Amino acid sequence: MNKIVFSLFLTFFYSTFIFAQTPKKLTSGEIYEGIQKLNFLGSVLYVAAHPDDENTRLISYFANDVKARTAYLSLTRGDGGQNLIGPELRELLGVIRTQELLAARGIDGGEQFFTRANDFGYSKHPNETLQIWNKEEVLNDVVAIIRKFKPDVIVNRFNHRTPGTTHGHHTSSAVLSVEAFDLAADKSYKTHLKNDKLWKPQRLFFNTSWWFYGSQENFEKADKTNLLKLNIGTYYVNKGLSNSEIASLSRSQHQSQGFGSTGTRGSQIEYLEFLKGEFPKANNVFDGIDTSWNRVEGGKAIGNLLQKVADEYNFNNPAESIPNLLEAYKLIQNLKDTHWKPIKTKEIKTIIAACAGLYLEVVAKQSTTARGSKVPISIEAINRSNFEISLKSVVTSNQTPIVNSVILENNKSYQKDSEIIIPSEENFTSPYWLLKKGSLGMYQVSNKEYIGLPETPHSLNLQFNVDFKEVIIPFYKTIIYKYNDPVKGEVYKPFEILPKISASFNEKVFIFAEDTSQKIKVKVKSNGTHLNGKLSLSIPKNWKIFPEFQYFNVIQKNEEKTFEFEITPPKNHSEGLISPFIEIGNQSFSNQLVEIEYNHIPYQSITMPSEAKVVRLNIQKKGQLIGYIQGAGDVIPTSLRQIGYTVVELKDDDITSEKLVNFDAVVLGIRAYNTNDRAKFYQKKLYNYVKNGGTLITQYNTNFRLKVDSVAPYPLQLSRDRVTDENAKVTILNPNHEILNYPNKIYSSDFDGWTQERGLYFPNEWDSNFEAILSMNDANETPKNGSLLIAKYGEGNFIYTGLSFFRELPAGVSGAYKLFANMLSVGKNKTEQSFKN
């Protein structure tokens, strides 16, 4: 085996990312479409705020019908939303939604970009959004992406002129896009780019529709002289799909949001309102913009040659196009243009390889490794055409050869095993925006050149120098990992460079209901072999720990060892963060490794700062056995176990009168009535449980796609009312009510320290049997009294709440724990007592 030191290799800005999946093998029809795209030199940037905001119909239309280079700039990664497929929230949800967007772009043909903005949750006004985001930094990111991508046309998803009428993030995306449109060409405005070249987009549009006019009737009456009307219902013969069908497949990748979409066929109209630039004379966003090869010096001959390739293309034998494609490739390499040259080089290389049936691959024999490790690899190359091709060499970025001068005979696979050594300075492949702790509104990114990229650029590539009859073309192939699954067959995974060791806590929050000590477990996982070190924990002031540190020894890779530390809290209320600290020789580590696995996205390994919250909380509780019915997914059961409850997570078959009677209270998880099709069958059993003396807590649902006729035993109307300011004043409406006094006294101060929001989708109308307990509102809004409602129903109590316990409990918010314990304890106070202050 060859032992090769593998050094850092980064290709240009739009490089290969670590998004690993089965490599796409182009059909004859797709090769022809690629040839057509080679002859179009125009670009469109679509701008919005979140994953799922993008209009996939329009992105697919520009990419597949117009053949334009098309990208979606999502200002955030959707970190602040809910997760319908699992428990991941915040940063981890952002990782999932990033991958879902990449999967969507893989279907509709677009590219994907982001800013450093952190989706901190729902915002009612752009003023709030831009203050939390740091407007100037996000604006700088947008300008930098425009200057790098160089769009001829920019399309906003939202209206910049209507602040306060929709999500503040939505409006902010449009506001920033409008400002960036002009700043991109302003020589006095500087960005973080090393090669910061000015760019002037030709025109800016707003992707409007009847929805923005309030109704279809209003839209039909509106003046449309400033609007472009595009029929995007194209049927693509080579794909066997309509544009709208492709768009639906793309949108259906947003599985964490439940956005599965059914495809449509036939004509479909999209409208673009002209905002800035030069208004197009024809109904064409590129009117007056030269999108031919004539736009670059020396490009005319390339355009003529590629048109000849398209005109003479043989669908039964694409290899016939290779000679002319090679001539075009050579002409492209002679261009002085620094923008279109690398873009079209990448495109034509893909087409040439596809015409030849050329397959190049580098597979590692393991899915992860650490810096300084040896990694066995396997190289494969095959030419499935009659065109004469040889593999001149396979080299590393420092030109160290692995393969020399191999003729690739028609349909005969060439394979070779080798070995590489990962250098000690190699970048980790973990999401770059999570390597350091960010703020509420912004991620911290050390390498400014990464800003805008969807993923960390993968530096582990081999260069295949392929000889097409003396035309040498370099192909860069990212090292991947694959294996055979007995059920799924061939499965591809990213090949990842991770720290040699990581440490994580068994919980994210530890609640100390008493001043007695608890044993906290720390799991150490090895990504290397024969590691000896010392593990210690940092703890808040006035807390105690035993032992002070522990030594460890791990022999094998992926070995896990669990260590226990005894932590003693102070007698009075206290909270803070604990974090692990690992010393191996002169190296130190304080990171955790989080792994995410879903079938619709690549396997994700995330390295991020490791920490947990400890809370000394004076809390009382009544009752012990709690039944929990999961909805869209949350970790409240884990949180309740932290304060001593026995929580049984109920399946549909467990919800019977005989079993329910055993529980002191039953809780419905968030959006249970939106996500469970069987809810309508077990709801009556839950109400009978309440009638017979039980306590039922129903957490928030939305009116959209309810699986039941009503969410409560009495009339109750859900709304979109929400309080997004986590610091909004909370007024206690009935301070004497049991739920605010037993077994814990609830004070206004118990609403301090909440995260992201107070609550969402509050009822705005309810039956007189309900009593409202709390009132709250965002600035300049009327009071919202529907956050916590309680009603007697038979012998028991029914509670409906839109308070965001699913965010507050995992974050260790003390007051949220006390209030939730009181809800579970309703009806447990059997003594006659007054709760008056």
Side-chain angles (χ1 to χ4, degrees):
M1 287 192 174
N2 297 323
K3 293 185 178 179
I4 298 160
V5 176
F6 210 94
S7 61
L8 177 68
F9 181 77
L10 284 175
T11 54
F12 54 91
F13 184 81
Y14 305 109
S15 182
T16 303
F17 304 116
I18 67 170
F19 181 75
Q21 61 179 12
T22 303
K24 189 172 183 179
K25 305 175 181 81
L26 300 181
T27 66
S28 180
E30 288 169 330
I31 294 172
Y32 180 69
E33 290 179 342
I35 293 169
Q36 292 178 308
K37 198 176 185 74
L38 275 172
N39 240 353
F40 191 95
L41 279 70
S43 53
V44 178
L45 181 66
Y46 198 90
V47 181
H50 310 107
D52 84 4
D53 285 344
E54 80 274 25
N55 184 340
T56 55
R57 296 184 303 274
L58 207 53
I59 289 175
S60 177
Y61 168 78
F62 283 128
N64 296 295
D65 194 324
V66 180
K67 309 299 183 188
R69 185 176 181 226
T70 308
Y72 173 44
L73 169 57
S74 176
L75 267 61
T76 76
R77 297 176 186 265
D79 327 76
Q82 285 85 50
N83 184 359
L84 295 186
I85 60 174
E88 296 88 359
L89 292 175
R90 294 300 303 139
E91 293 89 350
L92 298 183
L93 178 58
V95 172
I96 292 173
R97 292 190 173 179
T98 294
Q99 292 299 322
E100 289 177 337
L101 272 179
L102 287 172
R105 298 295 80 79
I107 290 172
D108 59 36
E111 298 177 40
Q112 184 62 54
F113 302 107
F114 296 94
T115 72
R116 288 170 291 169
N118 190 340
D119 178 3
F120 56 85
Y122 193 87
S123 174
K124 293 181 177 179
H125 200 280
N127 289 348
E128 176 196 34
T129 298
L130 296 173
Q131 181 179 10
I132 294 175
W133 274 355
N134 187 329
K135 176 185 176 182
E136 292 309 314
E137 289 191 14
V138 181
L139 177 61
N140 194 275
D141 291 356
V142 176
V143 173
I145 290 166
I146 291 174
R147 287 181 177 178
K148 196 69 181 180
F149 185 71
K150 301 190 185 310
D152 298 302
V153 176
I154 298 177
V155 180
N156 292 342
R157 184 69 182 106
F158 298 105
N159 193 345
H160 67 288
R161 298 158 296 193
T162 55
T165 61
T166 183
H167 198 320
H169 297 182
H170 292 170
T171 308
S172 296
S173 70
V175 168
L176 293 173
S177 177
V178 170
E179 290 189 34
F181 181 86
D182 294 321
L183 288 175
D186 186 344
K187 63 181 180 181
S188 66
Y189 189 87
K190 305 299 181 183
T191 74
H192 58 264
L193 295 174
K194 291 180 180 179
N195 187 18
D196 195 11
K197 292 186 176 180
L198 303 183
W199 178 252
K200 182 176 179 58
Q202 295 302 300
R203 48 186 66 111
L204 176 68
F205 295 98
F206 160 43
N207 183 196
T208 190
S209 70
W210 68 263
W211 189 88
F212 292 98
Y213 288 75
S215 68
Q216 187 72 47
E217 182 181 2
N218 290 343
F219 183 62
E220 290 175 358
K221 295 178 181 177
D223 180 10
K224 298 184 180 60
T225 56
N226 205 36
L227 271 59
L228 269 65
K229 180 180 179 181
L230 305 179
N231 187 342
I232 53 89
T234 307
Y235 174 67
Y236 303 115
V237 176
N238 291 329
K239 299 178 184 294
L241 294 168
S242 71
N243 188 73
S244 297
E245 286 174 316
I246 293 173
S248 293
L249 291 171
S250 172
R251 189 162 182 78
S252 295
Q253 301 309 302
H254 296 299
Q255 293 186 22
S256 65
Q257 303 185 70
F259 278 176
S261 177
T262 300
T264 59
R265 289 144 293 279
S267 282
Q268 193 166 24
I269 303 300
E270 286 287 343
Y271 291 92
L272 299 179
E273 180 186 351
F274 174 76
L275 297 178
K276 283 190 172 187
E278 183 180 347
F279 189 82
K281 298 177 182 178
N283 199 53
N284 175 6
V285 298
F286 287 103
D287 180 62
I289 301 172
D290 190 352
T291 58
S292 73
W293 277 96
N294 293 331
R295 78 181 298 173
V296 298
E297 183 182 349
K300 184 176 181 179
I302 300 171
N304 293 336
L305 190 54
L306 290 176
Q307 187 59 53
K308 176 179 171 62
V309 172
D311 293 340
E312 298 177 357
Y313 180 71
N314 185 343
F315 283 84
N316 294 319
N317 186 15
E320 291 181 2
S321 299
I322 294 177
N324 284 329
L325 287 169
L326 291 173
E327 288 302 313
Y329 171 81
K330 290 190 293 184
L331 291 174
I332 292 172
Q333 304 320 297
N334 293 328
L335 292 176
K336 296 179 182 179
D337 177 88
T338 58
H339 175 65
W340 285 107
K341 178 179 177 179
I343 293 169
K344 293 303 177 180
T345 294
K346 183 178 178 181
E347 288 182 14
I348 198 168
K349 284 165 60 175
T350 300
I351 297 303
I352 291 171
C355 286
L358 181 64
Y359 187 82
L360 306 172
E361 187 172 74
V362 187
V363 179
K365 300 297 179 67
Q366 58 198 54
S367 62
T368 67
T369 193
R371 293 166 169 170
S373 299
K374 297 178 182 178
V375 179
I377 61 171
S378 178
I379 296 168
E380 180 182 2
I382 185 169
N383 167 25
R384 290 169 288 190
S385 74
N386 289 316
F387 194 88
E388 184 180 315
I389 299 175
S390 64
L391 191 57
K392 185 176 179 63
S393 64
V394 179
V395 299
T396 66
S397 59
N398 62 5
Q399 300 302 303
T400 304
I402 299 176
V403 176
N404 284 305
S405 300
V406 175
I407 296 175
L408 297 179
E409 298 180 40
N410 181 20
N411 212 30
K412 290 186 179 181
S413 177
Y414 169 79
Q415 297 184 15
K416 182 176 182 179
D417 291 335
S418 187
E419 187 177 75
I420 60 173
I421 299 175
I422 309 301
S424 58
E425 68 275 11
E426 184 61 59
N427 290 333
F428 295 128
T429 52
S430 185
Y432 67 85
W433 63 96
L434 297 181
L435 293 175
K436 291 188 176 182
K437 192 171 182 178
S439 65
L440 173 64
M442 295 292 293
Y443 283 117
Q444 186 179 165
V445 178
S446 298
N447 189 333
K448 301 302 182 184
E449 292 300 305
Y450 285 0
I451 294 173
L453 301 181
E455 295 184 286
T456 305
H458 206 312
S459 58
L460 294 178
N461 301 277
L462 289 185
Q463 179 179 329
F464 289 71
N465 294 311
V466 182
D467 187 343
F468 295 84
K469 292 184 178 179
E470 299 185 353
V471 179
I472 312 299
I473 300 180
F475 292 89
Y476 301 97
K477 290 298 175 180
T478 300
I479 300 175
I480 53 88
Y481 171 72
K482 67 178 180 180
Y483 65 95
N484 184 72
D485 183 273
V487 176
K488 300 177 183 177
E490 188 177 54
V491 177
Y492 282 76
K493 289 179 65 176
F495 174 65
E496 298 176 298
I497 311 301
L498 303 174
K500 67 173 63 175
I501 200 158
S502 61
S504 59
F505 296 101
N506 59 318
E507 305 288 352
K508 295 300 295 178
V509 175
F510 296 95
I511 304 295
F512 292 75
E514 300 174 349
D515 61 0
T516 55
S517 62
Q518 285 187 32
K519 290 184 177 180
I520 288 179
K521 295 181 179 180
V522 182
K523 182 178 72 175
V524 172
K525 184 174 182 178
S526 166
N527 189 38
T529 60
H530 302 286
L531 300 177
N532 301 295
K534 184 172 74 172
L535 171 66
S536 59
L537 299 183
S538 66
I539 60 172
K541 185 179 180 180
N542 299 326
W543 292 65
K544 298 178 181 179
I545 186 170
F546 179 84
E548 185 179 344
F549 58 84
Q550 298 186 53
Y551 290 105
F552 66 85
N553 172 254
V554 288
I555 305 300
Q556 299 178 346
K557 184 179 178 181
N558 294 323
E559 184 177 349
E560 296 181 359
K561 287 192 174 182
T562 300
F563 299 87
E564 283 190 344
F565 290 86
E566 190 172 283
I567 295 185
T568 305
K571 292 186 177 297
N572 299 318
H573 179 87
S574 175
E575 56 186 68
L577 296 175
I578 59 174
S579 57
F581 185 75
I582 297 175
E583 297 174 83
I584 299 177
N586 60 357
Q587 294 181 301
S588 61
F589 303 85
S590 59
N591 54 275
Q592 64 176 321
L593 176 64
V594 181
E595 296 167 309
I596 298 176
E597 185 172 13
Y598 290 101
N599 288 332
H600 69 300
I601 60 174
Y603 189 91
Q604 298 294 299
S605 297
I606 300 114
T607 299
M608 55 196 301
S610 182
E611 63 183 23
K613 187 175 183 179
V614 289
V615 180
R616 168 67 177 102
L617 173 61
N618 293 313
I619 190 171
Q620 302 294 320
K621 64 184 182 65
K622 298 298 177 181
Q624 182 62 37
L625 187 61
I626 308 300
Y628 203 91
I629 303 170
Q630 279 287 4
D634 57 60
V635 294
I636 288 180
T638 299
S639 300
L640 297 180
R641 294 182 185 113
Q642 280 277 345
I643 55 175
Y645 283 105
T646 302
V647 183
V648 178
E649 296 187 52
L650 302 175
K651 305 298 182 184
D652 292 350
D653 293 340
D654 297 325
I655 306 173
T656 65
S657 299
E658 293 76 19
K659 293 183 179 181
L660 290 175
V661 71
N662 298 313
F663 294 104
D664 295 303
V666 175
V667 182
L668 283 169
I670 59 172
R671 298 183 69 176
Y673 287 148
N674 293 126
T675 58
N676 194 326
D677 290 321
R678 293 191 57 80
K680 59 186 176 184
F681 298 111
Y682 64 64
Q683 187 185 58
K684 185 176 180 180
K685 297 173 185 177
L686 294 175
Y687 289 168
N688 286 335
Y689 162 75
V690 181
K691 274 186 178 181
N692 293 325
T695 296
L696 177 64
I697 300 171
T698 300
Q699 297 183 88
Y700 94 92
N701 291 272
T702 72
N703 262 330
F704 184 60
R705 293 180 179 174
L706 272 174
K707 309 295 185 181
V708 293
D709 295 329
S710 176
V711 297
Y714 301 117
L716 180 150
Q717 180 63 46
L718 298 179
S719 73
R720 298 187 64 84
D721 287 350
R722 61 201 302 162
V723 177
T724 62
D725 182 358
E726 63 270 30
N727 299 309
K729 181 182 177 182
V730 176
T731 301
I732 295 175
L733 297 177
N734 182 359
N736 297 326
H737 196 283
E738 175 187 4
I739 205 169
L740 298 175
N741 293 274
Y742 183 80
N744 304 286
K745 178 68 177 177
I746 302 298
Y747 301 94
S748 296
S749 59
D750 286 309
F751 294 93
D752 294 344
W754 283 50
T755 65
Q756 188 160 320
E757 62 198 356
R758 290 294 190 198
L760 64 171
Y761 299 110
F762 298 159
N764 60 356
E765 295 180 20
W766 50 84
D767 187 86
S768 60
N769 282 290
F770 284 105
E771 181 171 0
I773 305 299
L774 305 171
S775 180
M776 59 192 72
N777 58 272
D778 284 321
N780 303 316
E781 292 193 1
T782 58
K784 306 296 185 289
N785 297 344
S787 64
L788 179 58
L789 304 173
I790 183 169
K792 289 293 294 183
Y793 185 67
E795 298 298 318
N797 294 278
F798 176 87
I799 299 172
Y800 189 91
T801 180
L803 293 171
S804 295
F805 289 108
F806 72 102
R807 296 194 190 279
E808 313 312 321
L809 298 190
V813 178
S814 303
Y817 272 93
K818 290 171 63 179
L819 182 54
F820 209 98
N822 282 15
M823 294 193 302
L824 295 171
S825 303
V826 166
K828 305 299 185 298
N829 179 28
K830 302 300 182 184
T831 60
E832 295 293 332
Q833 57 178 310
S834 171
F835 292 100
K836 295 182 179 180
N837 292 330

